[in-house]
Amino acid sequence: MVEMAIPDTPRSSTHGEEIRTARTRRYLMCRPEHFAVTYEINPWMDASRPVDTGLAIAQWEHLRRTHLDLGHTVDLLDPLPGLPDMVFAANGALVIDGHALGVRFRHAERAPEAGPYAAWLRAQGIEVTDAVAVNEGEGDFLVVGDLLLAGTGFRSDRAAHAEAQELFGVPVVSLSLVDPRFYHLDTALAVLDDRTVAWWPPAFSPGSRGALRRLFPDGIEATEADALAFGLNAVSDGRHVVVAAAAHDLISALSARGFVPVPVDLSELLRGGGGAKCCTLELRPEAVGS
């Protein structure tokens, strides 16, 4: 594994007259000690191919260290045997203003993950509301500015969008996913700052594409190669973007727009259908838009 150095640059950068400013975040992650592909619930999974768990752990550890080197806090949830996808922490909840909407997984194989994530959050003093409709946390809920983008089509139910709006009091924009390779919203769209996203339009229905172009006319439209490299499964602090190293065009586009790409290689975890964002759940103590 080739480790990329964090760029030694100021905390702010500019794109035209825009200032890209990093904001310190708090994340929850789960070490992939038990990572394996023992079932197939998305097109990326092939249970017939052995997984190199040691490589997955090394790549994940580099991601954790990258978050820490960027100044963020990383909390850890203990992994449990028999739950190989616990590493994909983003699916564990949606946390806003110190409150959390718990999850209800679509597939039975992942259902037991919901309890450990909810228990950890409650132990931190975070109030957790149990989900009624199927939702898979930040896999299908992405906060951008004072909006909540919500995906549906393969995993989360549209009814979960209404649940989130009622719980958090945040306007929710429902988006329909149409390509099974991009089964969660966070595989097809990355939030870069409070006004900017990067996305791959063919992953969305025509109406959802139109809505996104109206909401984010200055958004970065990724290439198919970027999307297939899971480049859009990225983590941004408003300035630094932790992004798949293989997403070459996206990395160039981010740099051209004043962001600072921080490439990471999570190729072994991609075999389970996950990348940097999938492994990173943001714990937001503040209200959306604050």
Side-chain angles (χ1 to χ4, degrees):
M1 180 181 65
V2 177
E3 296 203 358
M4 306 293 292
I6 304 291
D8 184 13
T9 50
R11 297 291 292 173
S12 299
S13 61
T14 61
H15 165 58
E17 295 182 356
E18 268 186 298
I19 298 177
R20 308 293 187 197
T21 303
R23 180 169 59 81
T24 302
R25 313 291 174 117
R26 182 185 178 193
Y27 298 134
L28 178 63
M29 300 181 68
C30 182
R31 193 168 189 264
E33 288 183 13
H34 308 292
F35 177 67
V37 178
T38 57
Y39 48 78
E40 298 175 5
I41 59 173
N42 68 58
W44 302 91
M45 304 177 92
D46 181 353
S48 69
R49 295 177 56 210
V51 166
D52 187 337
T53 303
L55 177 57
I57 290 172
Q59 292 179 342
W60 176 91
E61 182 59 39
H62 179 54
L63 174 64
R64 184 186 72 89
R65 175 52 57 186
T66 296
H67 289 326
L68 292 171
D69 288 347
L70 289 170
H72 306 305
T73 299
V74 177
D75 292 299
L76 298 177
L77 173 66
D78 291 335
L80 298 175
L83 298 178
D85 285 341
M86 271 189 78
V87 61
F88 301 130
N91 302 141
L94 171 65
V95 183
I96 297 173
D97 196 17
H99 293 76
L101 175 61
V103 298
R104 183 180 295 273
F105 285 95
R106 172 69 59 189
H107 295 286
E109 291 88 343
R110 296 199 66 184
E113 297 175 38
Y117 275 97
W120 187 92
L121 292 166
R122 289 185 171 115
Q124 300 297 308
I126 296 172
E127 182 179 345
V128 180
T129 297
D130 294 328
V132 176
V134 171
N135 90 75
E136 300 200 350
E138 283 196 335
D140 277 323
F141 286 120
L142 295 176
V143 174
V144 53
D146 57 1
L147 295 176
L148 185 59
L149 304 183
T152 189
F154 298 103
R155 295 296 182 87
S156 298
D157 288 340
R158 191 175 292 270
H161 302 180
E163 275 186 70
Q165 182 166 277
E166 287 304 308
L167 177 61
F168 299 114
V170 175
V172 174
V173 178
S174 294
L175 301 167
S176 296
L177 297 161
V178 296
D179 186 326
R181 297 173 298 177
F182 306 100
Y183 55 94
H184 277 147
L185 180 62
D186 71 352
T187 68
L189 185 148
V191 176
L192 302 177
D193 62 21
D194 286 347
R195 295 177 295 172
T196 314
V197 303
W199 61 303
W200 189 55
F204 297 88
S205 69
S208 295
R209 290 197 297 270
L212 285 168
R213 287 192 172 112
R214 286 177 180 270
L215 285 170
F216 308 104
D218 201 31
I220 297 173
E221 296 191 9
T223 64
E224 183 174 15
D226 292 335
L228 290 174
F230 258 43
L232 295 166
N233 196 245
V235 181
S236 176
D237 62 14
R239 179 171 180 264
H240 307 98
V241 183
V242 181
V243 59
H248 305 295
D249 293 334
L250 180 58
I251 288 171
S252 296
L254 290 168
S255 295
R257 295 287 291 274
F259 293 98
V260 179
V262 183
V264 294
D265 178 10
L266 294 175
S267 54
E268 198 64 15
L269 289 166
L270 179 54
R271 295 180 53 192
K277 181 66 190 83
C278 288
C279 294
T280 309
L281 173 64
E282 184 169 352
L283 306 176
R284 300 175 184 84
E286 74 287 348
V288 167
S290 64

Coordinates of all heavy atoms in Angstrom, one line a residue, residues 31-119:
R31 N -13.2 -0.9 13.4 CA -12.0 -1.6 12.8 C -12.5 -2.9 12.1 O -13.3 -3.7 12.7 CB -11.0 -2.0 13.8 CG -9.6 -2.4 13.3 CD -8.7 -2.4 14.5 NE -7.3 -2.7 14.1 CZ -6.7 -3.9 14.1 NH1 -7.4 -4.9 14.5 NH2 -5.5 -4.0 13.6
P32 N -12.1 -3.2 10.9 CA -12.6 -4.4 10.1 C -11.9 -5.7 10.5 O -11.5 -6.5 9.7 CB -12.3 -4.0 8.7 CG -11.0 -3.2 8.8 CD -11.2 -2.4 10.1
E33 N -11.9 -6.0 11.8 CA -11.2 -7.2 12.3 C -11.9 -8.5 11.7 O -11.3 -9.5 11.5 CB -11.2 -7.3 13.8 CG -10.2 -6.3 14.4 CD -10.2 -6.5 15.9 OE1 -10.8 -7.5 16.4 OE2 -9.6 -5.6 16.6
H34 N -13.2 -8.4 11.5 CA -14.0 -9.5 11.0 C -14.5 -9.3 9.6 O -15.4 -10.0 9.1 CB -15.1 -9.8 12.0 CG -14.8 -9.8 13.4 ND1 -14.0 -10.9 13.9 CD2 -15.0 -9.0 14.4 CE1 -13.8 -10.7 15.2 NE2 -14.4 -9.5 15.5
F35 N -13.8 -8.4 8.9 CA -14.3 -8.1 7.5 C -14.1 -9.4 6.6 O -13.1 -10.0 6.6 CB -13.5 -6.9 6.9 CG -13.9 -6.6 5.5 CD1 -15.2 -6.2 5.2 CD2 -13.0 -6.8 4.5 CE1 -15.5 -5.9 3.9 CE2 -13.3 -6.6 3.1 CZ -14.6 -6.1 2.8
A36 N -15.1 -9.6 5.9 CA -15.1 -10.7 4.9 C -16.3 -10.5 3.9 O -17.2 -9.7 4.2 CB -15.3 -12.1 5.6
V37 N -16.3 -11.2 2.9 CA -17.5 -11.2 2.0 C -18.0 -12.6 2.0 O -17.6 -13.5 1.3 CB -17.1 -10.8 0.5 CG1 -18.3 -10.9 -0.3 CG2 -16.5 -9.4 0.6
T38 N -19.0 -12.8 2.9 CA -19.6 -14.2 3.1 C -21.0 -14.3 2.5 O -21.6 -15.3 2.6 CB -19.6 -14.5 4.6 OG1 -20.3 -13.5 5.3 CG2 -18.2 -14.6 5.1
Y39 N -21.5 -13.2 2.1 CA -22.8 -13.1 1.4 C -22.8 -12.0 0.4 O -21.8 -11.3 0.3 CB -24.0 -12.8 2.4 CG -23.7 -11.7 3.4 CD1 -23.8 -10.3 3.0 CD2 -23.3 -11.9 4.7 CE1 -23.6 -9.3 3.9 CE2 -23.0 -10.9 5.6 CZ -23.2 -9.6 5.2 OH -22.9 -8.5 6.0
E40 N -23.8 -11.9 -0.4 CA -23.8 -11.0 -1.6 C -25.1 -10.2 -1.5 O -26.2 -10.7 -1.8 CB -23.7 -11.7 -2.9 CG -22.4 -12.5 -3.0 CD -22.3 -13.3 -4.3 OE1 -23.2 -13.2 -5.2 OE2 -21.3 -14.0 -4.5
I41 N -25.0 -8.9 -1.1 CA -26.2 -8.1 -1.0 C -26.0 -6.8 -1.9 O -26.9 -5.9 -1.8 CB -26.6 -7.7 0.4 CG1 -25.4 -7.0 1.1 CG2 -27.0 -9.0 1.2 CD1 -25.8 -6.4 2.5
N42 N -24.9 -6.7 -2.6 CA -24.8 -5.6 -3.6 C -23.9 -6.1 -4.7 O -23.2 -7.1 -4.6 CB -24.2 -4.3 -2.9 CG -22.8 -4.5 -2.4 OD1 -21.9 -4.8 -3.2 ND2 -22.6 -4.3 -1.1
P43 N -23.9 -5.4 -5.8 CA -23.1 -5.9 -7.0 C -21.6 -6.0 -6.8 O -20.9 -6.6 -7.7 CB -23.5 -4.9 -8.1 CG -24.8 -4.4 -7.7 CD -24.7 -4.3 -6.2
W44 N -21.1 -5.4 -5.8 CA -19.6 -5.4 -5.6 C -19.2 -6.6 -4.9 O -18.0 -6.9 -4.9 CB -19.2 -4.1 -4.8 CG -19.6 -2.9 -5.5 CD1 -20.8 -2.2 -5.3 CD2 -18.9 -2.1 -6.4 NE1 -20.8 -1.1 -6.1 CE2 -19.7 -1.0 -6.8 CE3 -17.6 -2.3 -7.0 CZ2 -19.2 -0.1 -7.7 CZ3 -17.2 -1.4 -7.9 CH2 -18.0 -0.2 -8.3
M45 N -20.1 -7.3 -4.3 CA -19.7 -8.5 -3.4 C -19.6 -9.8 -4.2 O -20.5 -10.1 -5.0 CB -20.7 -8.6 -2.2 CG -20.8 -7.4 -1.4 SD -22.1 -7.5 -0.1 CE -21.0 -8.1 1.3
D46 N -18.6 -10.5 -4.0 CA -18.4 -11.8 -4.6 C -17.9 -12.8 -3.6 O -16.7 -12.8 -3.3 CB -17.4 -11.7 -5.8 CG -17.2 -13.1 -6.6 OD1 -17.7 -14.1 -6.1 OD2 -16.6 -13.1 -7.6
A47 N -18.8 -13.6 -3.0 CA -18.4 -14.5 -1.9 C -17.5 -15.6 -2.3 O -16.9 -16.2 -1.4 CB -19.7 -15.0 -1.3
S48 N -17.3 -15.8 -3.6 CA -16.4 -16.8 -4.1 C -14.9 -16.4 -4.0 O -14.0 -17.3 -4.2 CB -16.8 -17.3 -5.5 OG -16.5 -16.3 -6.4
R49 N -14.6 -15.2 -3.8 CA -13.3 -14.7 -3.8 C -12.8 -14.4 -2.4 O -13.4 -13.6 -1.7 CB -13.1 -13.4 -4.7 CG -13.4 -13.5 -6.1 CD -13.3 -12.2 -6.8 NE -12.0 -11.5 -6.6 CZ -11.9 -10.2 -6.6 NH1 -12.9 -9.4 -6.7 NH2 -10.7 -9.7 -6.4
P50 N -11.7 -15.0 -2.0 CA -11.2 -14.8 -0.6 C -10.9 -13.3 -0.4 O -10.4 -12.6 -1.3 CB -10.0 -15.7 -0.5 CG -10.2 -16.7 -1.5 CD -10.9 -16.0 -2.7
V51 N -11.1 -12.8 0.8 CA -10.8 -11.4 1.2 C -9.5 -11.4 2.0 O -9.2 -12.3 2.8 CB -11.9 -10.8 2.0 CG1 -11.4 -9.5 2.7 CG2 -13.1 -10.5 1.1
D52 N -8.6 -10.4 1.7 CA -7.4 -10.3 2.5 C -7.7 -9.3 3.7 O -7.6 -8.1 3.6 CB -6.3 -9.7 1.6 CG -4.9 -9.6 2.3 OD1 -4.9 -9.6 3.6 OD2 -3.9 -9.5 1.6
T53 N -8.1 -9.9 4.8 CA -8.5 -9.1 6.0 C -7.4 -8.3 6.5 O -7.6 -7.1 6.9 CB -9.0 -10.0 7.1 OG1 -10.1 -10.8 6.6 CG2 -9.6 -9.2 8.3
G54 N -6.2 -8.8 6.4 CA -5.0 -8.0 6.9 C -4.8 -6.7 6.1 O -4.5 -5.7 6.6
L55 N -5.0 -6.8 4.8 CA -4.9 -5.7 3.9 C -6.0 -4.7 4.2 O -5.8 -3.5 4.2 CB -4.9 -6.1 2.4 CG -4.9 -5.0 1.4 CD1 -3.7 -4.1 1.6 CD2 -4.9 -5.5 0.0
A56 N -7.2 -5.2 4.4 CA -8.4 -4.4 4.7 C -8.1 -3.6 6.0 O -8.4 -2.4 6.0 CB -9.7 -5.2 4.8
I57 N -7.6 -4.2 7.0 CA -7.3 -3.5 8.2 C -6.2 -2.5 8.0 O -6.3 -1.3 8.5 CB -6.8 -4.5 9.3 CG1 -8.0 -5.4 9.7 CG2 -6.2 -3.8 10.5 CD1 -7.6 -6.6 10.6
A58 N -5.2 -2.8 7.2 CA -4.1 -1.8 7.0 C -4.6 -0.6 6.2 O -4.3 0.6 6.6 CB -3.0 -2.5 6.2
Q59 N -5.5 -0.8 5.2 CA -6.1 0.3 4.5 C -7.0 1.1 5.4 O -7.0 2.4 5.3 CB -6.8 -0.2 3.3 CG -5.9 -0.8 2.2 CD -6.7 -1.4 1.0 OE1 -7.9 -1.6 1.1 NE2 -6.0 -1.6 -0.1
W60 N -7.8 0.5 6.2 CA -8.7 1.2 7.1 C -7.9 2.0 8.1 O -8.2 3.1 8.5 CB -9.6 0.2 7.9 CG -10.5 0.7 8.9 CD1 -11.7 1.2 8.7 CD2 -10.1 1.0 10.3 NE1 -12.2 1.7 9.9 CE2 -11.3 1.5 10.9 CE3 -9.0 0.7 11.1 CZ2 -11.3 1.8 12.3 CZ3 -9.0 1.0 12.4 CH2 -10.2 1.6 13.0
E61 N -6.8 1.4 8.6 CA -6.0 2.1 9.6 C -5.4 3.4 9.0 O -5.2 4.4 9.7 CB -4.8 1.2 10.1 CG -4.0 1.8 11.2 CD -4.7 2.3 12.4 OE1 -5.7 1.5 12.9 OE2 -4.4 3.3 13.0
H62 N -5.0 3.3 7.7 CA -4.5 4.5 7.0 C -5.6 5.6 6.9 O -5.3 6.8 7.1 CB -4.0 4.1 5.7 CG -3.4 5.3 4.9 ND1 -2.5 6.1 5.4 CD2 -3.8 5.8 3.6 CE1 -2.2 7.1 4.5 NE2 -3.0 6.9 3.4
L63 N -6.8 5.1 6.7 CA -7.9 6.1 6.6 C -8.1 6.7 8.0 O -8.3 8.0 8.1 CB -9.2 5.4 6.2 CG -10.5 6.2 6.3 CD1 -10.4 7.4 5.3 CD2 -11.7 5.3 6.0
R64 N -8.1 5.9 9.1 CA -8.3 6.5 10.4 C -7.2 7.5 10.7 O -7.4 8.6 11.2 CB -8.2 5.4 11.5 CG -8.5 5.8 12.9 CD -8.3 4.7 13.9 NE -6.9 4.4 14.0 CZ -6.1 4.9 14.9 NH1 -6.5 5.9 15.7 NH2 -4.8 4.6 15.0
R65 N -5.9 7.1 10.4 CA -4.8 8.0 10.6 C -4.9 9.3 9.8 O -4.6 10.4 10.3 CB -3.5 7.3 10.3 CG -2.2 8.1 10.5 CD -2.1 8.9 11.8 NE -2.1 8.0 12.9 CZ -2.2 8.4 14.2 NH1 -2.2 9.7 14.5 NH2 -2.2 7.5 15.2
T66 N -5.4 9.2 8.6 CA -5.6 10.4 7.8 C -6.6 11.3 8.4 O -6.4 12.6 8.5 CB -6.2 10.0 6.4 OG1 -5.2 9.1 5.7 CG2 -6.5 11.2 5.5
H67 N -7.7 10.8 9.0 CA -8.7 11.7 9.7 C -8.0 12.4 10.8 O -8.2 13.6 11.1 CB -9.9 10.9 10.2 CG -10.8 10.4 9.1 ND1 -11.1 11.1 8.0 CD2 -11.6 9.3 9.0 CE1 -12.0 10.5 7.2 NE2 -12.3 9.3 7.9
L68 N -7.2 11.6 11.6 CA -6.5 12.2 12.8 C -5.5 13.3 12.4 O -5.4 14.3 13.0 CB -5.9 11.1 13.6 CG -6.8 10.1 14.3 CD1 -6.0 8.9 14.9 CD2 -7.6 10.8 15.4
D69 N -4.8 13.0 11.3 CA -3.8 13.9 10.8 C -4.4 15.2 10.3 O -3.7 16.3 10.4 CB -2.9 13.3 9.7 CG -2.0 12.2 10.2 OD1 -1.8 12.1 11.5 OD2 -1.4 11.5 9.4
L70 N -5.6 15.1 9.9 CA -6.3 16.4 9.5 C -7.0 17.1 10.6 O -7.6 18.1 10.4 CB -7.4 16.0 8.4 CG -6.9 15.5 7.1 CD1 -8.0 15.0 6.2 CD2 -6.2 16.7 6.3
G71 N -6.8 16.6 11.8 CA -7.2 17.3 13.0 C -8.5 16.9 13.6 O -9.1 17.5 14.5
H72 N -9.1 15.8 13.0 CA -10.4 15.4 13.5 C -10.3 14.4 14.6 O -9.3 13.8 14.8 CB -11.2 14.8 12.3 CG -11.3 15.7 11.1 ND1 -11.8 17.0 11.2 CD2 -10.8 15.5 9.8 CE1 -11.7 17.5 10.0 NE2 -11.1 16.7 9.1
T73 N -11.4 14.2 15.3 CA -11.5 13.2 16.4 C -12.1 12.0 15.8 O -13.1 12.0 15.1 CB -12.4 13.8 17.5 OG1 -11.8 15.0 18.1 CG2 -12.6 12.7 18.6
V74 N -11.6 10.8 16.2 CA -12.1 9.5 15.7 C -12.4 8.7 17.0 O -11.5 8.3 17.7 CB -11.1 8.8 14.8 CG1 -11.7 7.5 14.4 CG2 -10.9 9.7 13.5
D75 N -13.6 8.4 17.2 CA -14.0 7.4 18.2 C -14.2 6.0 17.5 O -14.4 5.9 16.3 CB -15.4 7.8 18.8 CG -15.3 9.1 19.6 OD1 -14.5 9.1 20.6 OD2 -16.0 10.0 19.3
L76 N -14.0 5.0 18.3 CA -14.0 3.6 17.8 C -15.1 2.8 18.5 O -15.3 2.8 19.7 CB -12.7 2.9 18.0 CG -11.5 3.6 17.3 CD1 -10.2 2.9 17.6 CD2 -11.7 3.6 15.8
L77 N -15.8 2.0 17.6 CA -16.8 1.1 18.1 C -16.2 -0.3 18.0 O -15.6 -0.6 17.0 CB -18.1 1.1 17.3 CG -19.1 0.1 17.5 CD1 -19.8 0.2 18.9 CD2 -20.2 0.1 16.4
D78 N -16.3 -1.1 19.0 CA -15.7 -2.5 19.0 C -16.4 -3.3 18.0 O -17.6 -3.5 18.0 CB -15.8 -3.1 20.4 CG -14.9 -2.5 21.4 OD1 -13.9 -1.8 21.0 OD2 -15.2 -2.6 22.6
P79 N -15.6 -4.0 17.1 CA -16.2 -4.9 16.1 C -16.7 -6.2 16.8 O -16.1 -6.6 17.8 CB -15.1 -5.2 15.1 CG -13.8 -5.0 15.9 CD -14.2 -3.9 16.9
L80 N -17.7 -6.8 16.2 CA -18.2 -8.1 16.7 C -18.1 -9.2 15.7 O -18.3 -9.0 14.5 CB -19.7 -7.9 17.1 CG -20.0 -6.8 18.2 CD1 -21.5 -6.7 18.4 CD2 -19.4 -7.3 19.5
P81 N -17.7 -10.4 16.1 CA -17.6 -11.5 15.2 C -19.0 -11.8 14.6 O -20.0 -11.7 15.2 CB -17.1 -12.6 16.0 CG -17.4 -12.2 17.5 CD -17.4 -10.7 17.5
G82 N -18.9 -12.2 13.3 CA -20.1 -12.6 12.6 C -20.8 -11.4 12.0 O -21.9 -11.6 11.3
L83 N -20.3 -10.2 12.1 CA -20.8 -9.0 11.5 C -19.8 -8.4 10.6 O -19.2 -7.3 11.0 CB -21.4 -8.0 12.6 CG -22.5 -8.6 13.5 CD1 -22.9 -7.5 14.5 CD2 -23.7 -9.0 12.6
P84 N -19.5 -8.9 9.5 CA -18.4 -8.5 8.6 C -18.5 -7.1 8.1 O -17.5 -6.4 7.8 CB -18.3 -9.5 7.5 CG -19.7 -10.0 7.4 CD -20.2 -10.1 8.8
D85 N -19.7 -6.5 8.0 CA -20.0 -5.2 7.5 C -20.0 -4.1 8.5 O -20.4 -3.0 8.2 CB -21.2 -5.2 6.6 CG -21.0 -5.9 5.3 OD1 -19.9 -6.0 4.9 OD2 -22.0 -6.2 4.6
M86 N -19.7 -4.4 9.8 CA -19.8 -3.4 10.8 C -18.7 -2.3 10.5 O -18.9 -1.2 11.0 CB -19.4 -4.0 12.2 CG -20.7 -4.5 13.0 SD -20.3 -4.9 14.7 CE -20.2 -3.3 15.4
V87 N -17.7 -2.6 9.7 CA -16.7 -1.6 9.3 C -17.4 -0.4 8.6 O -16.9 0.7 8.7 CB -15.6 -2.2 8.5 CG1 -16.2 -2.8 7.2 CG2 -14.5 -1.2 8.1
F88 N -18.5 -0.6 8.0 CA -19.2 0.5 7.3 C -20.0 1.3 8.2 O -21.3 1.2 8.2 CB -20.0 -0.1 6.1 CG -19.1 -0.9 5.1 CD1 -19.4 -2.2 4.7 CD2 -17.9 -0.3 4.7 CE1 -18.6 -2.9 3.9 CE2 -17.1 -1.0 3.8 CZ -17.4 -2.3 3.4
A89 N -19.4 2.1 9.0 CA -20.0 2.8 10.2 C -21.0 3.8 9.7 O -21.9 4.1 10.5 CB -18.9 3.5 11.0
A90 N -20.9 4.3 8.5 CA -21.8 5.4 8.1 C -23.2 4.8 8.0 O -24.2 5.6 8.1 CB -21.4 5.9 6.7
N91 N -23.4 3.5 7.9 CA -24.7 3.0 7.9 C -25.3 2.8 9.3 O -26.5 2.3 9.4 CB -24.7 1.6 7.2 CG -24.2 1.6 5.8 OD1 -23.5 0.7 5.4 ND2 -24.5 2.7 5.1
G92 N -24.6 3.2 10.4 CA -25.0 2.9 11.7 C -26.0 3.9 12.3 O -26.7 3.6 13.3
A93 N -26.2 5.1 11.7 CA -27.1 6.1 12.3 C -27.0 7.4 11.4 O -26.2 7.5 10.5 CB -26.7 6.5 13.7
L94 N -27.9 8.3 11.7 CA -27.8 9.7 11.3 C -27.8 10.5 12.6 O -28.8 10.5 13.3 CB -28.9 10.1 10.4 CG -29.0 11.6 10.0 CD1 -27.8 12.0 9.2 CD2 -30.3 11.9 9.2
V95 N -26.8 11.3 12.8 CA -26.6 12.1 14.0 C -26.6 13.6 13.7 O -25.7 14.1 12.9 CB -25.3 11.7 14.8 CG1 -25.3 12.5 16.1 CG2 -25.3 10.2 15.0
I96 N -27.5 14.3 14.2 CA -27.6 15.8 14.0 C -28.0 16.4 15.4 O -28.9 16.0 16.0 CB -28.7 16.2 13.0 CG1 -28.3 15.6 11.6 CG2 -28.8 17.7 12.8 CD1 -29.4 15.8 10.5
D97 N -27.3 17.5 15.7 CA -27.6 18.3 16.9 C -27.7 17.4 18.2 O -28.6 17.6 19.0 CB -29.0 19.0 16.7 CG -29.2 20.1 17.7 OD1 -28.2 20.5 18.3 OD2 -30.4 20.6 17.8
G98 N -26.8 16.4 18.2 CA -26.7 15.6 19.4 C -27.9 14.6 19.5 O -28.0 13.9 20.6
H99 N -28.7 14.4 18.5 CA -29.7 13.4 18.4 C -29.4 12.5 17.3 O -28.7 12.8 16.3 CB -31.1 14.0 18.2 CG -31.6 14.9 19.4 ND1 -31.1 16.1 19.6 CD2 -32.5 14.6 20.3 CE1 -31.6 16.6 20.7 NE2 -32.5 15.7 21.2
A100 N -29.9 11.2 17.4 CA -29.7 10.3 16.3 C -30.9 9.6 15.9 O -31.8 9.2 16.7 CB -28.7 9.2 16.8
L101 N -31.1 9.3 14.6 CA -32.1 8.4 14.1 C -31.4 7.1 13.9 O -30.4 7.0 13.2 CB -32.6 8.9 12.7 CG -33.6 8.0 12.0 CD1 -34.9 7.8 12.8 CD2 -34.0 8.6 10.6
G102 N -31.9 6.1 14.6 CA -31.3 4.7 14.5 C -31.6 4.2 13.1 O -32.3 4.8 12.3
V103 N -31.1 3.0 12.8 CA -31.3 2.4 11.5 C -32.1 1.1 11.6 O -32.2 0.4 12.6 CB -29.9 2.1 10.9 CG1 -29.1 3.4 10.7 CG2 -29.0 1.1 11.7
R104 N -32.6 0.8 10.4 CA -33.3 -0.5 10.2 C -32.8 -1.0 8.8 O -33.2 -0.4 7.8 CB -34.8 -0.3 10.2 CG -35.6 -1.6 10.1 CD -37.1 -1.4 10.2 NE -37.5 -0.8 11.5 CZ -37.8 -1.6 12.5 NH1 -37.8 -2.9 12.4 NH2 -38.2 -1.0 13.6
F105 N -32.0 -2.0 8.8 CA -31.4 -2.5 7.6 C -32.4 -3.2 6.7 O -33.3 -3.9 7.1 CB -30.2 -3.4 7.9 CG -29.0 -2.6 8.4 CD1 -28.7 -2.5 9.7 CD2 -28.1 -2.0 7.5 CE1 -27.6 -1.8 10.2 CE2 -27.0 -1.3 7.9 CZ -26.8 -1.2 9.3
R106 N -32.1 -3.1 5.4 CA -32.9 -3.8 4.4 C -32.7 -5.3 4.4 O -33.7 -6.1 4.3 CB -32.6 -3.3 3.0 CG -33.2 -4.0 1.8 CD -34.7 -3.8 1.7 NE -35.0 -2.4 1.6 CZ -36.3 -1.9 1.6 NH1 -37.3 -2.7 1.9 NH2 -36.5 -0.6 1.5
H107 N -31.4 -5.7 4.6 CA -31.1 -7.1 4.5 C -30.9 -7.7 5.9 O -30.3 -7.1 6.8 CB -29.9 -7.3 3.6 CG -30.0 -6.9 2.2 ND1 -30.8 -7.7 1.3 CD2 -29.6 -5.8 1.5 CE1 -30.8 -7.1 0.1 NE2 -30.1 -6.0 0.2
A108 N -31.4 -9.0 6.1 CA -31.3 -9.6 7.4 C -29.8 -9.8 7.8 O -29.5 -9.8 9.0 CB -32.0 -11.0 7.3
E109 N -28.9 -9.9 6.8 CA -27.5 -10.2 7.2 C -26.9 -9.0 8.0 O -26.0 -9.2 8.8 CB -26.7 -10.4 5.9 CG -27.0 -11.7 5.2 CD -28.1 -11.5 4.2 OE1 -28.8 -10.5 4.3 OE2 -28.2 -12.4 3.3
R110 N -27.4 -7.8 7.8 CA -26.9 -6.6 8.5 C -27.7 -6.2 9.6 O -27.3 -5.3 10.4 CB -26.7 -5.5 7.5 CG -25.7 -5.8 6.4 CD -25.2 -4.5 5.7 NE -24.4 -3.7 6.6 CZ -23.9 -2.5 6.3 NH1 -24.1 -2.0 5.1 NH2 -23.2 -1.8 7.2
A111 N -28.9 -6.7 9.8 CA -29.8 -6.2 10.8 C -29.2 -6.2 12.2 O -29.4 -5.3 13.0 CB -31.1 -7.1 10.8
P112 N -28.4 -7.2 12.6 CA -27.8 -7.2 14.0 C -26.8 -6.0 14.2 O -26.4 -5.8 15.4 CB -27.1 -8.5 14.1 CG -27.7 -9.4 13.1 CD -28.1 -8.5 11.9
E113 N -26.4 -5.3 13.2 CA -25.5 -4.2 13.4 C -26.2 -3.0 14.1 O -25.5 -2.1 14.7 CB -24.9 -3.7 12.1 CG -24.1 -4.7 11.4 CD -23.6 -4.2 10.0 OE1 -23.3 -3.0 9.8 OE2 -23.6 -5.0 9.0
A114 N -27.5 -2.9 13.9 CA -28.2 -1.7 14.4 C -28.1 -1.5 15.9 O -27.8 -0.4 16.4 CB -29.7 -1.8 14.0
G115 N -28.2 -2.6 16.7 CA -28.2 -2.5 18.1 C -26.8 -2.0 18.7 O -26.8 -1.1 19.5
P116 N -25.7 -2.6 18.2 CA -24.4 -2.1 18.8 C -24.2 -0.6 18.5 O -23.6 0.1 19.4 CB -23.4 -2.9 18.1 CG -24.1 -4.2 17.7 CD -25.5 -3.8 17.4
Y117 N -24.6 -0.1 17.3 CA -24.4 1.3 17.0 C -25.3 2.2 17.9 O -24.9 3.2 18.5 CB -24.7 1.6 15.6 CG -23.4 1.3 14.7 CD1 -23.3 0.1 14.0 CD2 -22.4 2.3 14.6 CE1 -22.1 -0.1 13.3 CE2 -21.3 2.1 13.9 CZ -21.1 0.9 13.2 OH -20.0 0.6 12.5
A118 N -26.5 1.8 18.1 CA -27.5 2.5 18.9 C -27.0 2.5 20.4 O -27.0 3.6 21.1 CB -28.9 2.0 18.8
A119 N -26.5 1.4 20.8 CA -26.0 1.3 22.2 C -24.8 2.2 22.5 O -24.7 2.9 23.5 CB -25.7 -0.2 22.6

